[in-house]
Amino acid sequence: INTDVLPTGYVLQSDNTDYTIHKFLGHGLFGYAYSALSQNRSTGEEKEVVLKEFYPYRYYTRDGVQAVLMDEDDYDFVQEQKDKFIEEARIMQKLGNTDDSHIVPAFEFFESEDTNTAYYVMPFYNDGSLKDSQETGFNFSEEMAINHIVKPLCKALHIAHKAKVLHLDIKPENILLDENGDAILIDFGVAKQYDSENNIINPNGSKSSSMFAAPELAHGNMVKFGSQTDIYG
């Protein structure tokens, strides 16, 4: 996979901002994540960010920096995944930019002709995930767990559910910790949006094999809005 990543120092450009790649952080099935320096070309403001790239590595290869589909027969499937990637960015842009949301915001979404793929931009958190803290043996007191993990997550879910969005993948690796040690909910890759009648907007139901998933998610039948599924997680 490492041969497919964008090189350190490569500069991506959106309408108003330059993003200089610092480091490859990791990947999922359909996306690569990088740390990058963001520089606003109008104001000169700089900050460290996380750049998520739509890159389904089992279906794409690189020609230079261009993302190239290896098999045209996979075009429809990959396009469907790209639509989900864009939907994830829009959900995070909508929910995460609400005050005190404890949901990671997407600052910007853009497509690059130079690399032939899509990106969205998130804040960079230095303190890692809840899973990282658990694995290093950090000892959470009951008070700390309630005030810094449970309450912030309840705020995040309240905002998401009010907007008829189910996250559907609540687990320690999808919870980052900010500079105050407060939980920030990330990764809306399998999130689903619902209409005013509580019906799923995207007809494909969600499935999860995560050990934290509610039983109904194992059957992939989350076609009706139900906040209890996220609360279980």
Side-chain angles (χ1 to χ4, degrees), residues 8 52 58 61 70 76 86 90 100 113 125 128 164 168 176 180 184 192 196 201 209 224-225:
T8 298
K52 191 163 179 182
R58 292 180 180 173
T61 188
M70 288 187 280
D76 288 343
I86 294 169
R90 286 177 175 156
D100 200 32
E113 290 184 4
Y125 295 98
K164 294 289 186 187
L168 301 177
L176 296 184
N180 299 314
I184 303 289
K192 293 295 179 183
S196 59
I201 292 174
S209 57
K224 284 284 188 181
F225 181 88

Side-chain angles (χ1 to χ4, degrees), residues 85-106:
F85 180 87
I86 294 169
E87 181 182 18
E88 178 183 10
R90 286 177 175 156
I91 288 172
M92 291 165 60
Q93 196 167 41
K94 175 182 176 183
L95 301 181
N97 287 298
T98 305
D99 286 343
D100 200 32
S101 70
H102 292 278
I103 293 171
V104 65

Side-chain angles (χ1 to χ4, degrees), residues 134-151:
Q134 291 172 325
E135 289 179 345
T136 57
F138 185 85
N139 185 22
F140 285 93
S141 67
E142 182 177 324
E143 182 182 7
M144 189 181 296
I146 289 170
N147 290 325
H148 290 278
I149 306 299
V150 177
K151 285 184 178 179

Side-chain angles (χ1 to χ4, degrees), residues 44-64:
E45 179 191 4
E46 293 185 347
K47 60 186 173 185
E48 190 80 3
V49 297
V50 172
L51 199 64
K52 191 163 179 182
E53 176 184 52
F54 178 71
Y55 194 87
Y57 67 89
R58 292 180 180 173
Y59 302 89
Y60 274 14
T61 188
R62 295 265 192 210
D63 180 4

Side-chain angles (χ1 to χ4, degrees), residues 84 166-169 189-194 200 202-209 214-223 229:
K84 289 180 180 178
L166 291 180
H167 184 279
L168 301 177
D169 200 17
V190 299
K192 293 295 179 183
Q193 298 189 71
Y194 295 79
I200 197 167
N202 181 333
N204 297 319
S206 287
K207 272 183 114 167
S208 176
S209 57
E216 60 268 24
L217 273 178
H219 305 292
N221 60 356
M222 287 303 302
V223 295
T229 301

Side-chain angles (χ1 to χ4, degrees), residues 108-127:
E108 182 179 26
F109 166 80
F110 66 96
E111 298 198 45
S112 169
E113 290 184 4
D114 293 331
T115 59
N116 192 39
T117 190
Y119 301 85
Y120 66 79
V121 187
M122 302 175 286
F124 183 84
Y125 295 98
N126 285 309
D127 294 325

